[in-house]
Amino acid sequence: MLNGQKIFISGADQATHMMVVARTTRLRETDDKRHGLSLFVVPMDAPGLELSRMEIDLHSPEHQFFVFLNDVRVPADNLVGTPDGGLRALFDALNPERLLVSAWAIGLGDHALARGVAYASERAPFGTPIGSYQAVQHPLARAKAHLEAARLMLYTACETYDAGGDAGGAANMAKLLASEAANEAIDAVVQAHGGTAFDKESDIVTLWPMIRLLRIAPVNNEMVLNYLAERVLGLPKSY
Ligand SMILES: Cc1cc2nc3c(=O)[nH]c(=O)nc-3n(C[C@H](O)[C@H](O)[C@H](O)COP(=O)(O)OP(=O)(O)OC[C@H]3O[C@@H](n4cnc5c(N)ncnc54)[C@H](O)[C@@H]3O)c2cc1C
């Protein structure tokens, strides 16, 4: 029987099933706080499962939801992995998620940059395109270099993952670099558009919330840096 609630569940209205991590052994009954969590597949039409839509200020194809679980019965067959060993199964899914989010960030960065370059090439208030000014060119060029570096890191991480290796370090580096490069790109593109970026019809500043979000979700970049500090550099855990 599952009980609890969770905010920010994307696309819950479109899903047929949901993965739920639930504590199945009390924290005080185990020495290792990572032990005692189990992973379940829960059908969205299970009695006791309710959704409530959140109001999120973001242009996105899916909506976000509060999910409430009140005495939701889950058959034993719906357990993924071993009882109390759900974190291991969950962590197996996190590297592909990092890779997906990196590709998402790079794609958005590429799109924003292409829009910025097109605008800077056309906009010529005094007869000279603003894209000919180095103050406009350099931030766009820098963002391009950082997007390409992030793309290479993503490919390295994908190759490691596909080869069955430990992709944790590379996947986290790709997520960090890709989300930062995309944010650098949209910032340069907004600047190159000047006031036009805020004209709703230009659809430029509207790109910013989604790109900015990728520094926070599905994992914030500070947690990514924590992972790299501890798991890649071998520094002591900070939290
Ligand atoms: C649009 C949207 C969709 C989402 N979809 C989903 C979904 O489908 N499923 C799901 O499970 N979740 C989803 N989330 C939740 C998302 O994963 C979290 O918002 C994200 O992981 C950050 O957690 P938090 O919001 O609890 O921030 P907090 O943990 O409260 O952290 C706030 C800030 O504090 C800093 N911080 C936190 N911890 C540390 C630390 N240890 N060291 C240094 N700095 C730290 C970071 O800067 C962080 O941004 C979604 C969120 C949004 C906004």
Side-chain angles (χ1 to χ4, degrees):
M1 202 91 93
L2 296 178
N3 282 290
Q5 59 190 56
K6 173 79 177 78
I7 61 170
F8 287 124
I9 299 302
S10 301
D13 58 334
Q14 293 168 39
T16 57
H17 292 76
M18 179 171 57
M19 306 295 291
V20 175
V21 184
R23 181 156 284 287
T24 40
T25 295
R26 288 180 202 285
L27 205 49
R28 63 172 179 270
E29 290 164 9
T30 172
D31 294 335
D32 180 358
K33 63 183 176 188
R34 288 172 301 180
H35 176 79
L37 294 160
S38 302
L39 186 62
F40 299 95
V41 179
V42 179
M44 297 304 287
D45 58 1
L49 194 158
E50 282 175 26
L51 305 181
S52 168
R53 187 168 150 187
M54 297 177 73
E55 288 304 322
I56 303 283
D57 206 358
L58 189 72
H59 284 236
S60 120
E62 78 280 352
H63 301 296
Q64 278 71 39
F65 293 84
F66 296 97
V67 175
F68 301 95
L69 298 129
N70 294 307
D71 292 337
V72 175
R73 283 188 173 279
V74 182
D77 282 354
N78 290 28
L79 177 78
V80 180
T82 55
D84 285 343
L87 271 198
R88 175 171 289 277
L90 180 70
F91 283 156
D92 284 343
L94 291 185
N95 287 334
E97 185 186 56
R98 304 276 192 277
L99 302 179
L100 182 72
V101 168
S102 304
W104 180 2
I106 292 168
L108 283 170
D110 283 347
H111 171 70
L113 197 57
R115 300 279 312 275
V117 169
Y119 185 81
S121 305
E122 283 164 18
R123 169 86 172 143
F126 299 105
T128 306
I130 55 169
S132 67
Y133 305 139
Q134 288 184 339
V136 175
Q137 290 178 352
H138 286 188
L140 298 171
R142 188 177 296 275
K144 172 68 176 168
H146 288 163
L147 281 168
E148 293 304 328
R151 198 186 322 272
L152 288 178
M153 191 71 236
L154 171 61
Y155 290 164
T156 299
C158 289
E159 278 172 18
T160 309
Y161 182 78
D162 283 347
D166 178 2
N172 277 281
M173 287 182 211
K175 194 274 174 183
L176 177 77
L177 297 177
S179 59
E180 287 183 348
N183 272 274
E184 186 179 14
I186 189 63
D187 193 61
V189 169
V190 166
Q191 193 69 19
H193 275 77
T196 302
F198 297 84
D199 176 358
K200 206 166 182 180
E201 277 192 17
S202 77
D203 201 17
I204 288 296
V205 84
T206 39
L207 289 169
W208 183 80
M210 176 56 85
I211 294 178
R212 182 64 182 82
L213 172 70
L214 296 179
R215 283 175 54 198
I216 295 174
V219 57
N220 64 65
N221 282 2
E222 287 77 13
M223 290 305 288
V224 168
L225 288 168
N226 289 340
Y227 180 94
L228 295 176
E230 291 158 22
R231 303 293 185 89
V232 177
L233 300 180
L235 292 167
K237 195 174 166 83
S238 61
Y239 56 99

